[in-house]
């Protein structure tokens, strides 16, 4: 069966009025083979993602004209995202059979996106996956209430409006997720040594990357300005492009007019992991080269142990048993429509609101 139907955001089917409280009914329909891991498949995916990234970097080294550099920057954001998605799978312990292989390769895969592996494990695995769309717990794209928005200062209100607009996903991700929850993150005591070790690993590799890029430019006859430009062209702009891509992807996974956020007292795992995300169909070449099935997001949230290369099969099984799950084709127009509708949130009525406090669209019950 196909994974998606062409349904608009406002018409996307949501689950029934009395959903289950646990994930057990969904877990039971996932075929056992979806949990099988293959080091060979994983290594081939990693090698392909690395080659694509290196090819884009090589193109940027030799590109001089703006009409070549700008498209390569756009592709660089996708290429870094591909490495990151595979590293994210490693952080769940899902990509490789070996725990040590997952950690070793996962740390390396997250260097181009400047992510600290163990910090990601804590924030993403334990908090985002443990409390998806739970008020006051899930920090990723957590909406403000009307009262919270009105209490903001002028600058904070402008920033909120920008970050929750169609062009602000990258800025939101860079500030709220990467900077606040990754770089500035102070881990609990029991995780502190692991986070510090991975932070040193990231800083050393990032410094080496900057030094090599600048040094080779100088050796090739370029001056300090050329070296600074090459660092910007090869490392800085691709990182910004990555934040834009991954911020937008995380947004469409969990924010839409029909997707509810839940008060703490009424939240359960079924609400968060099944109702709180989607299965989206992307063009095949984009999915296979850059996103590695992460858009098939419901089975990933139901059980993070499923490797990315088995998510389509798991998603098909879940949709066959639960056809009311939100599954549709990804459209940029749906993303834009969501950014227009989803500004503030009333957690008691579970309704998305405009900045003036008026409801634009009530989530279906």
């Amino acid at each position: 069966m196909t994974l998606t139907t062409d349904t608009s955001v406002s018409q996307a089917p949501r689950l029934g009025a009395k959903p289950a409280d646990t994930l057990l009914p969904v877990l039971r329909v996932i075929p056992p083979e979806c949990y099988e891991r293959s080091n060979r498949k994983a290594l081939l995916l990693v090698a392909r993602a690395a080659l694509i990234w290196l090819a884009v970097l090589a193109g940027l080294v030799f590109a001089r004209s703006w009409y070549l550099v700008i498209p390569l920057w756009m592709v660089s954001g996708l290429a870094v995202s591909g490495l990151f998605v595979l590293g994210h799978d490693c952080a769940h312990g899902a990509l490789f059979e070996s725990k040590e292989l997952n950690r070793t390769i996962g740390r390396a895969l997250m260097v181009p996106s400047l992510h600290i592996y163990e910090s990601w494990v804590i924030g993403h695995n334990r908090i985002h996956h443990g409390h998806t769309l739970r008020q006051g717990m899930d920090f990723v794209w957590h909406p403000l209430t009307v009262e919270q928005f009105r209490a903001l200062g002028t600058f904070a209100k402008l920033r909120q409006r920008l970050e929750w607009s169609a062009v602000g996903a990258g800025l939101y991700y860079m500030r709220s997720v990467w900077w606040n929850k990754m770089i500035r993150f102070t881990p609990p005591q029991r995780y502190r040594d692991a986070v510090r070790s991975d932070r040193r690993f990231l800083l050393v590799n990032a410094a080496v990357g900057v030094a090599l890029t600048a040094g080779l430019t100088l050796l090739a006859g370029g001056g300090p300005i050329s070296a600074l430009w090459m660092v910007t062209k090869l490392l800085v702009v691709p990182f910004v492009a990555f934040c834009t891509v991954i911020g937008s992807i995380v947004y469409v996974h969990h924010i839409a007019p029909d997707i509810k956020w839940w008060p703490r007292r009424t939240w359960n795992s079924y609400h968060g992991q099944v109702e709180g995300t989607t299965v989206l169909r992307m063009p095949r070449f984009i999915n296979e080269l850059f996103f590695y099935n992460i858009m098939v997001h419901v089975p990933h949230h139901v059980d993070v142990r499923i490797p990315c290369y088995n998510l389509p099969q798991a998603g098909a099984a879940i949709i066959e048993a639960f056809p009311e799950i939100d599954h549709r084709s990804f459209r940029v127009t749906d993303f834009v429509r969501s950014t227009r509708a989803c500004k503030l949130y009333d957690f008691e009525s579970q309704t998305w609101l405009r900045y003036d406090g008026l409801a634009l669209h009530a989530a279906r019950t």
Side-chain angles (χ1 to χ4, degrees):
M1 64 173 290
T2 58
L3 282 176
T4 58
T5 58
D6 291 334
T7 309
S8 69
V9 168
S10 60
Q11 296 175 331
R14 304 306 301 163
L15 293 167
K18 296 181 179 180
D21 293 331
T22 73
L23 296 177
L24 287 177
V26 189
L27 288 167
R28 290 190 182 112
V29 306
I30 299 175
E33 56 267 26
C34 290
Y35 293 94
E36 295 176 0
R37 299 184 185 122
S38 167
N39 284 343
R40 179 178 175 276
K41 283 184 181 178
L43 286 171
L44 287 173
L45 291 179
V46 169
R48 185 175 68 187
L51 286 173
I52 292 171
W53 175 61
L54 291 173
V56 173
L57 291 185
L60 284 169
V61 168
F62 295 105
R64 297 289 183 268
S65 303
W66 65 268
Y67 53 82
L68 293 177
V69 172
I70 292 177
L72 283 170
W73 274 340
M74 296 171 66
V75 178
S76 74
L78 294 170
V80 175
S81 296
L83 295 172
F84 175 80
V85 169
L86 293 176
H88 150 273
D89 227 35
C90 289
H92 282 300
L95 192 63
F96 293 95
E97 298 172 4
S98 161
K99 180 179 179 180
E100 188 57 36
L101 202 56
N102 274 313
R103 187 173 191 278
T104 299
I105 295 181
R107 291 170 79 198
L109 288 170
M110 287 194 169
V111 169
S113 59
L114 301 180
H115 277 58
I116 301 167
Y117 183 84
E118 283 295 334
S119 293
W120 179 261
V121 169
I122 296 169
H124 180 77
N125 294 12
R126 294 184 174 91
I127 299 176
H128 172 60
H129 274 271
H131 303 276
T132 307
L133 275 59
R134 189 176 190 181
Q135 183 182 15
M137 298 295 291
D138 188 358
F139 61 88
V140 182
W141 286 108
H142 192 297
L144 296 180
T145 64
V146 172
E147 294 74 22
Q148 289 171 327
F149 178 74
R150 289 174 178 170
L152 296 178
T154 301
F155 174 77
K157 285 180 178 177
L158 291 173
R159 184 182 65 193
Q160 168 77 13
R161 288 177 179 272
L162 176 59
E163 291 179 346
W164 282 73
S165 72
V167 297
L171 295 173
Y172 173 89
Y173 185 89
M174 194 182 303
R175 180 189 66 84
S176 182
V177 179
W178 179 76
W179 180 251
N180 288 338
K181 303 301 182 183
M182 179 72 45
I183 303 303
R184 294 183 57 199
F185 174 62
T186 301
Q189 183 63 43
R190 61 175 173 163
Y191 303 120
R192 198 155 295 173
D193 289 344
V195 170
R196 285 175 176 172
S197 174
D198 282 359
R199 180 181 283 116
R200 286 193 298 269
F201 176 83
L202 174 63
L203 290 175
V204 168
N205 280 277
V208 169
V210 170
L212 279 175
T213 303
L216 291 174
T217 303
L218 293 171
L219 286 174
I225 299 300
S226 295
L228 179 61
W229 168 240
M230 194 61 72
V231 169
T232 302
K233 187 163 70 163
L234 267 63
L235 304 178
V236 177
V237 177
F239 168 72
V240 174
F242 154 78
C243 288
T244 300
V245 171
I246 211 68
S248 302
I249 292 304
V250 175
Y251 182 98
V252 299
H253 285 165
H254 300 294
I255 302 294
D258 285 343
I259 293 180
K260 298 178 182 180
W261 280 71
W262 293 84
R264 289 197 191 191
R265 67 184 183 277
T266 57
W267 181 93
N268 61 50
S269 57
Y270 190 88
H271 290 327
Q273 315 306 349
V274 180
E275 289 185 307
T277 189
T278 57
V279 172
L280 299 175
R281 184 176 64 200
M282 299 279 297
R284 183 174 177 179
F285 78 97
I286 295 179
N287 177 61
E288 291 187 354
L289 293 180
F290 302 114
F291 291 139
Y292 302 103
N293 301 313
I294 199 61
M295 305 302 282
V296 187
H297 213 56
V298 170
H300 172 65
H301 266 265
V302 169
D303 198 330
V304 298
R305 297 173 299 171
I306 302 171
C308 61
Y309 40 82
N310 290 336
L311 287 175
Q313 182 182 359
I318 291 172
I319 290 169
E320 184 174 6
F322 301 88
E324 63 271 31
I325 284 172
D326 186 354
H327 57 289
R328 50 190 164 84
S329 294
F330 169 76
R331 295 192 184 110
V332 174
T333 53
D334 288 348
F335 167 70
V336 173
R337 192 177 297 117
S338 291
T339 62
R340 290 175 178 172
C342 304
K343 300 297 187 181
L344 305 174
Y345 200 70
D346 183 329
F347 286 91
E348 293 305 314
S349 65
Q350 293 183 292
T351 304
W352 286 100
L353 307 170
R354 303 187 313 199
Y355 286 118
D356 58 10
L358 298 178
L360 282 182
H361 184 100
R364 298 180 188 178
T365 58

